[in-house]
């Protein structure tokens, strides 16, 4: 339970009904943590280093109003060259990542508006299909984790 | 070129990928393991073959998905499907909405709830317990989440236990994930109209 990022950033009171419910679903929390490792620190990174993945995760946490979770991912950025990508005011142009940053922001914030040309533009920029899937899985996992934390927080604020 | 479906439908469409799926004959041992391909089971959907490009994530995602949607106790399976539908409506994932409406209808042996969801969309009026579940799932699916204390109170007033509400948080959040794969990496097209 202590090793769960979602629990750590949700301020859940000990001995609460919510903590008891989370114990019942401890397998889900454990699998969630394995998924975090798979998208943030995979053995096969493809085109996206661990530091770049962490920087992109920071943007998503910030866009979802979770600064503490953003700090969690910022602490994983070991390559200084990736740090500017974590800044949501940076469009990634100085890092030659404009297309990647635009795609990630769009999928994170308004997935309903993503269309086929968003994918074909990445392909035209030379991003491989495997790397498109890797980016999208990172984004999609983060969408899950930020909502899990938002849900646990609001449940903690309104005790049973 | 086949027609992409842009409106919610209860007829489950086909899914046409926007990226090339992994070719089964060229898959690595790790991909075959994650795809659970055996000599007697060689049928794998294009969707899973697309996800096999990121095999480390696919391997952990499948057991997590199954645990959230099917583990015993807590929220009923049909009500977890409403959590999935709330997110899919907000994210306009036509394919996910069709599949999970169909599961809800099978589980409850009743199409009236999902018919209402398709005819009325986000503003559908359901019976109080389903409504509280649907409203919370929709609010949590927004970016950032708009789930608030009044949503939680409505769930408690509708009789949901803490474990049931946790299961709802999980199912709606999980479809924040699933919708971003299905809706972003492919298009829903009419069955038999894929190429």
């Amino acid at each position: 339970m202590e090793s769960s990022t979602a629990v750590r950033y949700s301020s859940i009171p000990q001995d609460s009904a919510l903590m008891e419910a989370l114990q019942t679903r401890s397998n889900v929390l454990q699998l969630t943590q394995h998924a975090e490792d798979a998208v943030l620190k995979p053995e096969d990174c493809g085109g996206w280093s661990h530091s770049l993945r962490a920087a992109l995760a920071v943007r998503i946490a910030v866009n979802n109003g979770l600064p503490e979770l953003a700090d969690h991912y910022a602490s994983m950025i070991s390559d200084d060259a990736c740090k500017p990508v974590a800044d949501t005011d940076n469009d990634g142009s100085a890092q030659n990542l404009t297309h990647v940053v635009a795609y990630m922001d769009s999928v994170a914030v308004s997935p309903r508006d993503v269309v086929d040309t968003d994918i074909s533009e990445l392909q035209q920029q030379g991003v491989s299909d495997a790397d498109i899937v890797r980016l999208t899985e990172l984004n999609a996992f983060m969408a899950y984790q930020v909502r899990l934390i938002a849900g646990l927080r609001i449940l903690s604020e309104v005790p049973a | 070129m086949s027609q992409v479906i842009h409106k919610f439908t209860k007829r489950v469409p086909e899914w046409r990928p926007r990226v090339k799926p992994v070719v089964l004959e060229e898959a690595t041992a790790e991909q075959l393991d994650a795809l659970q391909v055996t000599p007697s089971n060689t049928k794998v959907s294009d969707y899973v073959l697309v996800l096999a490009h990121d095999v480390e994530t696919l391997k952990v995602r499948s057991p997590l998905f199954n645990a959230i949607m099917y583990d015993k106790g807590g929220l009923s399976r049909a009500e977890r499907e409403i959590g999935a539908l709330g997110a899919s409506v907000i994210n306009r994932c036509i394919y996910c909405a069709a599949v999970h409406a169909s599961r809800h209808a099978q589980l409850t042996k009743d199409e009236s709830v999902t018919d209402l969801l398709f005819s009325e969309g986000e503003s559908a009026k359901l019976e109080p317990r389903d409504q509280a579940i649907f409203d919370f799932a929709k609010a949590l699916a927004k970016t950032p989440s708009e789930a608030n204390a009044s949503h939680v109170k409505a769930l408690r007033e509708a009789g949901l236990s803490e474990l049931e509400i946790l299961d709802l948080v999980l199912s709606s959040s999980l479809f924040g994930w699933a919708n971003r794969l299905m809706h972003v990496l492919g298009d829903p097209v009419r069955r038999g109209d894929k190429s």
Side-chain angles (χ1 to χ4, degrees), chain B residues 76-115:
Chain B
S76 71
R77 280 185 56 185
E79 289 173 329
R80 293 182 209 193
E81 298 293 354
I82 298 181
L85 284 163
S88 302
V89 165
I90 292 300
N91 294 325
R92 285 200 72 77
C93 186
I94 308 289
Y95 188 92
C96 294
V99 168
H100 293 277
S102 160
R103 295 225 177 115
H104 181 273
Q106 284 167 2
L107 288 162
T108 57
K109 299 182 176 58
D110 176 11
E111 293 187 7
S112 62
V113 172
T114 48
D115 281 352

Side-chain angles (χ1 to χ4, degrees), chain B residues 39-55:
Chain B
S40 61
N41 177 26
T42 55
K43 277 197 170 177
V44 186
S45 69
D46 275 350
Y47 176 60
V48 177
L49 287 168
V50 162
L51 299 189
H53 281 300
D54 182 351
V55 67

Side-chain angles (χ1 to χ4, degrees), chain B:
Chain B
M1 197 68 174
S2 57
Q3 286 206 335
V4 176
I5 301 171
H6 295 290
K7 285 185 178 171
F8 287 117
T9 169
K10 64 179 184 180
R11 280 187 63 196
V12 177
E14 281 197 45
W15 185 81
R16 187 180 62 201
R18 292 170 175 171
V19 297
K20 282 201 186 76
V22 167
V23 177
L24 202 50
E25 291 72 28
E26 297 168 8
T28 64
E30 194 183 13
Q31 285 171 329
L32 290 174
D33 180 51
L35 294 165
Q36 295 178 318
V37 174
T38 60
S40 61
N41 177 26
T42 55
K43 277 197 170 177
V44 186
S45 69
D46 275 350
Y47 176 60
V48 177
L49 287 168
V50 162
L51 299 189
H53 281 300
D54 182 351
V55 67
E56 290 172 63
T57 307
L58 176 62
K59 261 196 298 196
V60 292
R61 185 191 162 277
S62 302
L64 177 57
F65 185 99
N66 290 336
I68 290 175
M69 295 308 283
Y70 308 126
D71 270 4
K72 289 198 170 77
L75 198 64
S76 71
R77 280 185 56 185
E79 289 173 329
R80 293 182 209 193
E81 298 293 354
I82 298 181
L85 284 163
S88 302
V89 165
I90 292 300
N91 294 325
R92 285 200 72 77
C93 186
I94 308 289
Y95 188 92
C96 294
V99 168
H100 293 277
S102 160
R103 295 225 177 115
H104 181 273
Q106 284 167 2
L107 288 162
T108 57
K109 299 182 176 58
D110 176 11
E111 293 187 7
S112 62
V113 172
T114 48
D115 281 352
L116 257 176
L117 289 182
F118 285 132
S119 61
E120 308 296 325
E122 291 178 36
S123 54
K125 295 279 168 266
L126 310 174
E127 61 88 15
R129 185 173 162 112
D130 283 350
Q131 187 77 60
I133 291 171
F134 186 55
D135 288 346
F136 180 85
K138 283 188 300 177
L140 193 63
K142 300 274 179 71
T143 306
S145 163
E146 292 177 9
N148 60 36
S150 67
H151 292 115
V152 176
K153 283 177 189 155
L155 290 167
R156 296 223 167 97
E157 280 166 22
L160 275 82
S161 70
E162 205 71 352
L163 180 59
E164 286 178 314
I165 301 176
L166 172 61
D167 285 344
L168 174 59
V169 168
L170 287 167
S171 68
S172 173
S173 299
L174 181 67
F175 276 75
W177 184 343
N179 296 158
R180 279 172 179 77
L181 297 176
M182 198 61 104
H183 178 70
V184 169
L185 293 174
D187 287 298
V189 295
R190 284 202 190 84
R191 285 214 162 262
D193 201 16
K194 203 165 149 194
S195 57

